[in-house]
């Protein structure tokens, strides 16, 4: 199972595009609220109902953890931070886009890895910052920002299901 985490203020295009394209690829994905409430309000006032609450999910089957960006407080959720650290220690896959790679940097997850993020946030990534649109480095995938949401999602699809599946979704979506 793969999990995408949501907090109020999330960047809708990054979350919804990723959810949509992964589900088109038949990749198992559960959306998770870190707020204690399944209803989450995005940065542009689009309400989304998460599939579950972080405190009620057993993540032992987690293959990939995905963080959309936006003006969220994902990095303040201790349960999520602990999960990210343990997931990284096990060399499992983590993806983050826009502002979310800064959460990974603060947790030390980007040490020895390359990453990208939203312009103006590069300093938070330190030596890990290499720019780029979508960057894969070891077990980490990072994306620059909202306009790269599809590219970010297709990179995830290719990593989880292979190039053939990514190409099929790419063609079906007329991207």
């Amino acid at each position: 199972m793969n999990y995408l985490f949501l907090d109020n203020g999330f960047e809708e295009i990054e979350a919804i595009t990723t959810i949509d394209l992964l589900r088109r690829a038949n990749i198992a994905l559960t959306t998770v609220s870190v707020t204690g409430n399944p209803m989450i309000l995005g940065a542009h006032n689009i309400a989304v109902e998460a599939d579950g609450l972080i405190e009620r999910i057993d993540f032992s089957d987690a293959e990939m953890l995905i963080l959309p960006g936006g003006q969220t407080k994902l990095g303040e959720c201790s349960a999520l931070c602990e999960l990210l650290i343990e997931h990284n220690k096990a060399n499992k896959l983590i993806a983050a886009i826009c502002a979310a790679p800064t959460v990974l940097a603060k947790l030390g997850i980007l040490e020895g890895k390359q990453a990208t993020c939203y312009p103006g946030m590069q300093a938070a990534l330190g030596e890990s910052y290499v720019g780029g649109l979508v960057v894969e480095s070891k077990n980490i995938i990072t994306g620059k920002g909202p306009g790269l949401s599809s590219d970010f999602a297709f990179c995830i699809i290719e990593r989880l299901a292979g190039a053939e599946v990514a190409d099929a979704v790419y063609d079906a979506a007329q991207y």
Side-chain angles (χ1 to χ4, degrees):
M1 180 62 68
N2 304 284
Y3 297 93
L4 185 142
F5 296 86
L6 297 169
D7 186 19
N8 291 312
F10 72 93
E11 183 61 56
E12 292 97 338
I13 194 171
E14 295 166 0
I16 301 302
T17 299
T18 303
I19 294 164
D20 181 88
L21 291 173
L22 267 64
R23 289 186 177 170
R24 286 175 191 249
N26 294 312
I27 292 173
L29 179 70
T30 297
T31 57
V32 182
S33 169
V34 300
T35 69
N37 186 334
M39 290 305 297
I40 308 294
L41 189 62
H44 302 96
N45 296 316
I46 297 173
V48 172
E49 184 173 1
D51 298 320
L53 304 176
I54 193 167
E55 59 270 16
R56 295 187 183 158
I57 296 176
D58 175 3
F59 294 99
S60 60
D61 65 348
E63 184 175 3
M64 179 180 274
L65 307 178
I66 304 168
L67 307 179
Q71 299 300 316
T72 73
K73 296 180 181 176
L74 289 175
E76 296 177 18
C77 176
S78 60
L80 176 57
C81 290
E82 290 171 21
L83 182 61
L84 288 164
I85 290 167
E86 291 306 313
H87 207 70
N88 184 60
K89 282 182 185 174
N91 203 36
K92 291 185 177 182
L93 300 172
I94 299 172
I97 187 169
C98 196
T102 63
V103 173
L104 304 182
K106 288 177 188 174
L107 297 173
I109 291 171
L110 296 182
E111 288 178 24
K113 299 169 187 159
Q114 297 179 329
T116 192
C117 64
Y118 192 77
M121 300 185 154
Q122 303 94 313
L125 272 57
E127 293 181 13
S128 294
Y129 181 78
V130 294
L133 304 179
V134 176
V135 176
E136 286 186 79
S137 183
K138 299 180 183 176
N139 63 317
I140 305 296
I141 297 171
T142 53
K144 187 173 182 179
L148 282 299
S149 298
S150 293
D151 298 292
F152 176 72
F154 282 118
C155 185
I156 292 170
I157 293 168
E158 188 168 333
R159 189 75 174 261
L160 292 173
E164 191 173 304
V165 173
D167 289 344
V169 175
Y170 186 89
D171 290 342
Q174 296 293 294
Y175 185 70

